[in-house]
Amino acid sequence: MLSGTPFTLADLRAAYDAGATAADVVREVYRRIEAVNDPGIFIHLPAEAEVIAAAEALGPRDGRPLWGIPFVVKDNIDVADMPTTSACPAVERVADADAFVVARLKAAGAIVVGKTNLDQFATGLVGVRSPYPVPKNAVDPAIVPGGSSSGSAVAVGHGIVPFSLGTDTAGSGRVPAALNNIVGLKPSLGALSATGMMPACRTVDTISIFALTVADAHEVFRLAAAYDPADAWSRPVAAPPPSAPPKPRVAIPDAASIEFFGDTVQAENFATTVAALEQSGAVITEIDLTPFFQVAEMLYYGAFVAERHTVIEPLLASRPDAVHPVTREVVEKALGFTATDAFRDIYRLAELRRVVEPVVANVDLILVPTIPTFYSVADLEADPIGPNSRLGTYTNFVNLLDMCGLAVPTLPRGDGRPGSVTLLAPHGRDGLLAGVARTIEQFGSRTLGATGAPVPPPVPLAEQAVDGEIELAVCG
Amino acid sequence: MLSGTPFTLADLRAAYDAGATAADVVREVYRRIEAVNDPGIFIHLPAEAEVIAAAEALGPRDGRPLWGIPFVVKDNIDVADMPTTSACPAVERVADADAFVVARLKAAGAIVVGKTNLDQFATGLVGVRSPYPVPKNAVDPAIVPGGSSSGSAVAVGHGIVPFSLGTDTAGSGRVPAALNNIVGLKPSLGALSATGMMPACRTVDTISIFALTVADAHEVFRLAAAYDPADAWSRPVAAPPPSAPPKPRVAIPDAASIEFFGDTVQAENFATTVAALEQSGAVITEIDLTPFFQVAEMLYYGAFVAERHTVIEPLLASRPDAVHPVTREVVEKALGFTATDAFRDIYRLAELRRVVEPVVANVDLILVPTIPTFYSVADLEADPIGPNSRLGTYTNFVNLLDMCGLAVPTLPRGDGRPGSVTLLAPHGRDGLLAGVARTIEQFGSRTLGATGAPVPPPVPLAEQAVDGEIELAVCG
């Protein structure tokens, strides 16, 4: 029965309604893992019996919102009693506690299946910078899986689990979503606690969520979000249900600043999506993305790369060969920057934020392509850095500007490759992004990830204020 | 008539009511400058006729709140057509525009008299780190004048002008207030625009205000405060009138963490002030200041000193002798810090903020001595750095913790030296600090600065919400 079920939350709940057990679902997860047969997805996958035992330990189905829902976790996030590696075997250690977010999801009834592969130390957007076997893109194995949250995206793209945790600093929670035809929710910074997550750039990191549908990603986000006083970067963030104005004001990059690196099919797909969104009621305006790109450059080519260096400096000093050569090349750029350079870059970022603020203030959100074009595994073998940088064109600036983002599949491209756009807005507007993305994911005739299952019809928006739930705007 | 008038705003307005002209007031300012006869106060003092001309250019008295009120400006803040030096002749240039705050005060009718001396590049708390003659402490010339805003504090201490602008990063707007028996208002960061101010540590700098009374300092603050989109560190901050709860919850340092470096007279003065405040209705509790001191250490002994280096790096490289030797010694510590160190310190500060937050959340404000003890000019000649550091005991942590502060004179010490305490609270509570400080400035039998004039009785608090004025809490 379960083998034909697409793994959305609604479908799994229907299966439970129809009598499936949590152990049945875990068995189906392992059957799919075996069917996909990609040794690159997991860095740590427990024996099936262990996860079945965890499922059975849930007890009978109760009212918990994620009861019996399996998920996978990027291997730079701790799950108690499982090893964490950040894709660097030299730093492997068994976690003695769940990350804050993992603990919340487990408390809601969800079941961790395993730990997934990534670009080492979450540095990269390609998914090939790992000493473990590289996960294969779920849609087209010639294409890079995307990173750094490669395994988590591919697992959801295949429908092995309905959602997964990634992390996102430069776009690691969005680029792989575009490449695997799934949703990538990059929350407002501070909404999901970083306790138990190995940092990349602590000031702009966040845990992110992959799912097959916007509704699922946003529901998991709402359950995971909570203020955590133990995480110095945690912030009180409202996590309301999806909601959108009937005529959202949407800014898109103008013709002078939009960039597809010659990929006319991608350009056409974006234009078609914009036209469909306008048709649905959105009011479209154009903005110059140049200052956003100036921000983006600061993440790897300025002193901010020293944030990554803080994480692995002792390892680089004592065991340089333990670090992936490309990762080393990227992170060692930090050695060229002084503290004075760091503060100069912090000032420049503050000034660029001021340039961007009035642009953003005029609209509800910004719509960009998630990626400008596609790159193959062979492209990355030829040039491990250039294509990686270009994949971050529309993602690198987002966290530095303290915006939330939601990568959502749109109608497929003319050549059949997945289409994806990203919605961006200032900190705290996660509910708005989900509200508008619900419309976009219905565009065209599309399937979920690489599953072949059709996109379910939109669930009616829940009442905006549920009984006993007060919408609270918290400023910090 | 004017020669016997203490220069409070109320007294000056009364003089205007009685027929004095703005030119009369300027003449009296110059008479006082001559009588004080301290060549260290001003770096630039225009000819009297020029300032009289500016006074006459105001036209007849109108409703502007600071019409005809003279003030002086620390020489790291631009006044159009006057030179700015930051006490370093090598960087002198004539400003082509007023700093944002100066422009606001001028627009309110105030008259700039001149530019005042400072610890070079606003680095220091003593006032002796200047290539210009050192200003003499207004109360006792054997004692350091305090810095870095030395000239601005001494000018107000002598009653030459009713208020002055300083700046405050480590305590430069508070320590000199304590040493000269005046009020030093260090606003919430971002309330007073830094446009036209030469920075020290851009992330934690603010312009500050000296005055003879709390009411005057707070009134000037309210007129100067406004959001400035051109300053990347400007923030929308509410600047309400003074107001205090009848029983403010006040935290003081506990016995284990309070520090007077052996100055028992200062300890006694603080205890007496606390007792008087409790008598007035305040509820006193004790807190451990240790984490605050850990923050304080980061300002000069960690990578944050590189913020100062960003300002003078080219000068240090090309003309090291143009920098005061002590300033150079302090700022060149930046050369020892990498970008990686800078981010590590930023993380540590964020973590310490989390330690402090719950402590601060339990009270309305924190009360500390402004300075732990006094140092003489001779002490600083013997050791130019140690006493300076100790003077910052209760000030260095404040801006790093994003708190507002108000240094207010209290009853004199047993030995006749001025008493001073500082009220501290989280960002945005400037009105609360002024409300409580109004009570403290009435303690004992005290005179204003070094003027010999008695403290005026408290002005009744204005209505909390004046007609047409809405109290607005703005979050940023």
Side-chain angles (χ1 to χ4, degrees), chain B residues 159-302:
Chain B
I160 291 172
V161 284
F163 79 90
S164 61
L165 297 184
T167 63
D168 188 310
T169 304
S172 294
R174 289 162 281 156
V175 168
L179 292 164
N180 291 281
N181 194 30
I182 61 174
V183 173
L185 188 159
K186 190 226 63 80
S188 293
L189 293 182
L192 302 190
S193 162
T195 298
M197 182 194 105
M198 181 173 281
C201 293
R202 222 170 292 232
T203 64
V204 286
D205 289 334
T206 178
I207 288 178
S208 69
I209 296 158
F210 295 114
L212 292 169
T213 68
V214 171
D216 287 1
H218 195 73
E219 181 174 342
V220 172
F221 163 64
R222 295 188 67 202
L223 292 165
Y227 179 70
D228 173 11
D231 167 21
W233 308 102
S234 180
R235 290 151 77 177
V237 174
S243 70
K247 294 178 185 297
R249 297 166 304 159
V250 176
I252 61 170
D254 61 20
S257 61
I258 203 163
E259 180 58 80
F260 295 103
F261 301 103
D263 186 341
T264 54
V265 186
Q266 189 75 342
E268 188 194 346
N269 181 258
F270 184 68
T272 308
T273 301
V274 170
L277 191 62
E278 192 164 24
Q279 187 69 28
S280 79
V283 180
I284 308 290
T285 55
E286 295 192 350
I287 58 172
D288 176 10
L289 276 197
T290 306
F292 297 78
F293 294 152
Q294 288 168 337
V295 170
E297 249 177 50
M298 301 184 72
L299 195 57
Y300 283 107
Y301 297 98

Side-chain angles (χ1 to χ4, degrees), chain A residues 200-203 227-235 303-311 313-314 334-335 337-344 346-347 350-351 354 357 475-476, chain B residues 200-203 227-235 303-311 313-314 334-335 337-344 346-347 350-351 354 357 475-476:
Chain A
C201 293
R202 223 170 292 233
T203 64
Y227 179 71
D228 172 12
D231 167 21
W233 308 104
S234 180
R235 291 151 77 176
F304 282 96
V305 76
E307 293 213 60
R308 298 180 193 268
H309 192 234
T310 63
V311 183
E313 188 182 24
L335 300 173
F337 294 102
T338 64
T340 308
D341 294 328
F343 283 106
R344 279 212 195 89
I346 288 167
Y347 304 157
E351 283 155 17
R354 278 296 145 88
E357 267 168 20
C475 305
Chain B
C201 293
R202 222 170 292 232
T203 64
Y227 179 70
D228 173 11
D231 167 21
W233 308 102
S234 180
R235 290 151 77 177
F304 282 98
V305 76
E307 292 213 61
R308 299 179 193 270
H309 192 235
T310 63
V311 183
E313 188 182 24
L335 300 173
F337 294 103
T338 65
T340 307
D341 294 328
F343 283 106
R344 277 210 195 88
I346 288 168
Y347 304 157
E351 283 155 15
R354 278 296 145 88
E357 267 168 21
C475 307

Side-chain angles (χ1 to χ4, degrees), chain B residues 41-422:
Chain B
I41 297 176
F42 289 95
I43 290 178
H44 175 72
L45 181 67
E48 182 173 354
E50 281 180 44
V51 184
I52 288 177
E56 286 171 344
L58 285 175
R61 194 173 176 206
D62 53 27
R64 286 185 286 166
L66 296 178
W67 187 94
I69 304 293
F71 72 111
V72 298
V73 178
K74 185 176 180 179
D75 200 28
N76 60 346
I77 302 170
D78 285 348
V79 175
D81 304 324
M82 291 189 189
T84 304
T85 68
S86 232
C88 179
V91 303
E92 178 171 332
R93 55 171 182 75
V94 174
D96 52 13
D98 287 323
F100 181 94
V101 164
V102 170
R104 281 186 69 84
L105 296 172
K106 279 187 178 176
I111 305 163
V112 176
V113 172
K115 303 294 295 291
T116 57
N117 205 348
L118 62 149
D119 284 319
Q120 193 177 73
F121 298 119
T123 295
L125 293 172
V126 284
V128 306
R129 296 176 180 173
S130 171
Y132 299 98
V134 169
K136 291 185 185 64
N137 184 299
V139 176
D140 175 354
I143 298 298
V144 292
S148 63
S149 317
S150 52
S152 280
V154 169
V156 169
H158 283 301
I160 291 172
V161 284
F163 79 90
S164 61
L165 297 184
T167 63
D168 188 310
T169 304
S172 294
R174 289 162 281 156
V175 168
L179 292 164
N180 291 281
N181 194 30
I182 61 174
V183 173
L185 188 159
K186 190 226 63 80
S188 293
L189 293 182
L192 302 190
S193 162
T195 298
M197 182 194 105
M198 181 173 281
C201 293
R202 222 170 292 232
T203 64
V204 286
D205 289 334
T206 178
I207 288 178
S208 69
I209 296 158
F210 295 114
L212 292 169
T213 68
V214 171
D216 287 1
H218 195 73
E219 181 174 342
V220 172
F221 163 64
R222 295 188 67 202
L223 292 165
Y227 179 70
D228 173 11
D231 167 21
W233 308 102
S234 180
R235 290 151 77 177
V237 174
S243 70
K247 294 178 185 297
R249 297 166 304 159
V250 176
I252 61 170
D254 61 20
S257 61
I258 203 163
E259 180 58 80
F260 295 103
F261 301 103
D263 186 341
T264 54
V265 186
Q266 189 75 342
E268 188 194 346
N269 181 258
F270 184 68
T272 308
T273 301
V274 170
L277 191 62
E278 192 164 24
Q279 187 69 28
S280 79
V283 180
I284 308 290
T285 55
E286 295 192 350
I287 58 172
D288 176 10
L289 276 197
T290 306
F292 297 78
F293 294 152
Q294 288 168 337
V295 170
E297 249 177 50
M298 301 184 72
L299 195 57
Y300 283 107
Y301 297 98
F304 282 98
V305 76
E307 292 213 61
R308 299 179 193 270
H309 192 235
T310 63
V311 183
I312 60 169
E313 188 182 24
L315 183 68
L316 274 174
S318 64
R319 299 184 55 191
D321 293 346
V323 181
H324 191 284
V326 178
T327 312
R328 200 161 77 209
E329 185 183 338
V330 171
V331 176
E332 280 184 342
K333 288 210 182 81
L335 300 173
F337 294 103
T338 65
T340 307
D341 294 328
F343 283 106
R344 277 210 195 88
D345 270 15
I346 288 168
Y347 304 157
R348 180 164 154 74
L349 175 59
E351 283 155 15
L352 284 167
R353 281 187 177 188
R354 278 296 145 88
V355 173
V356 165
E357 267 168 21
V359 176
V360 174
N362 276 332
V363 294
D364 293 312
L365 58 93
I366 299 175
L367 183 79
V368 294
T370 305
I371 52 175
T373 186
F374 288 73
Y375 291 102
S376 67
V377 175
D379 290 333
L380 268 293
E381 277 162 8
D383 174 5
I385 294 196
N388 187 93
S389 291
R390 294 194 282 282
L391 279 175
T393 301
Y394 299 105
T395 59
N396 279 340
F397 57 80
V398 175
N399 285 330
L400 286 170
L401 291 173
D402 199 17
M403 302 179 87
C404 52
L406 183 53
V408 60
T410 177
L411 72 165
R413 296 173 16 134
D415 60 5
R417 281 190 177 158
S420 176
V421 292
T422 289

